[in-house]
Amino acid sequence: VSNSWQKKASGKVKELLLKGDFEVVDTAYIKSNLGNGTRSSAKIILVDARPVKKYNMGHVPASYLMPDTKFEKFYSQIASMDKSKEIIAYCGGWKCVKSPKVALLLKAKGWKNIKVYQEGMPAWKKSGNYMEVDLPVVKSAVKKQNALIIDARPAKVYKKGHIPTSINIPDTKFKKYISTLPTDKNIKIITYCGGYKCAKSHKVAKELKNLGLKKFLFMQPGFLNGRKKV
């Protein structure tokens, strides 16, 4: 991204970004470095500087929760990682100071390659990219029965235990199950599989997008987390 960001950012955001001498990246840059959408495949470390509630409701895939106001509490998630690896902070757009604040805190911790995705969540959603959600959203969907929940794991794994109300559509057999999908393209869909290293839910989400379905999310913590809490 060129210095055009300086015309879009609020005065305070601009001040903080210049203070840290941070490079500002755009949505295309984030997408190109996300791998298959899992944390282990991403070429970058993404940190979401927004409050916990907003993170739970939807965030960029592979992101780590790191609210600016609770930075020390959440920093342990990445404390042991290689500080030379590229790390990118984001929050709620051009007027949001949380991402540059977290970037400055990371710099103080010794991180060497820090960038800021300042257009953040508003741009990510506007671009039509799918979002990752956390357990509260899934729990609500189960309770209200207002979403189709899809388990992307193999059938034999699904039968051993799954999130209540979820149906099984294994990523490797997606085409076999197309006829079972609802005809309403606007139905809310949540996919999940086996945790942070599992890409099956991402594969199913991409297949759904190719079919023209518009409202889909995925829960990366998956059933390893959900089985005791949903």
Side-chain angles (χ1 to χ4, degrees), residues 130-145:
Y130 59 89
M131 295 190 298
E132 182 176 307
V133 296
D134 223 307
L135 283 170
V137 172
V138 182
K139 289 176 74 173
S140 174
V142 170
K143 184 177 180 180
K144 297 178 181 179
Q145 296 188 23

Side-chain angles (χ1 to χ4, degrees), residues 56-57 130-143 145-152 163-169 181 187-193 201-202 204-205 208 213 215-222 230:
N56 286 342
M57 294 300 291
Y130 59 89
M131 295 190 298
E132 182 176 307
V133 296
D134 223 307
L135 283 170
V137 172
V138 182
K139 289 176 74 173
S140 174
V142 170
K143 184 177 180 180
Q145 296 188 23
N146 62 356
L148 175 64
I149 303 175
I150 298 175
D151 187 323
I163 291 174
T165 75
S166 66
I167 65 169
N168 184 214
I169 301 183
L181 291 169
I187 190 171
K188 181 179 176 182
I189 297 177
I190 302 173
T191 67
Y192 74 92
C193 55
S201 55
H202 295 266
V204 168
L208 293 169
L213 287 144
K215 296 181 180 179
F216 53 90
L217 308 162
F218 68 96
M219 183 183 74
Q220 195 58 55
V230 178

Side-chain angles (χ1 to χ4, degrees), residues 149-166:
I149 303 175
I150 298 175
D151 187 323
R153 300 174 301 160
K156 63 180 181 181
V157 181
Y158 171 84
K159 289 175 181 176
K160 291 179 180 178
H162 52 268
I163 291 174
T165 75
S166 66

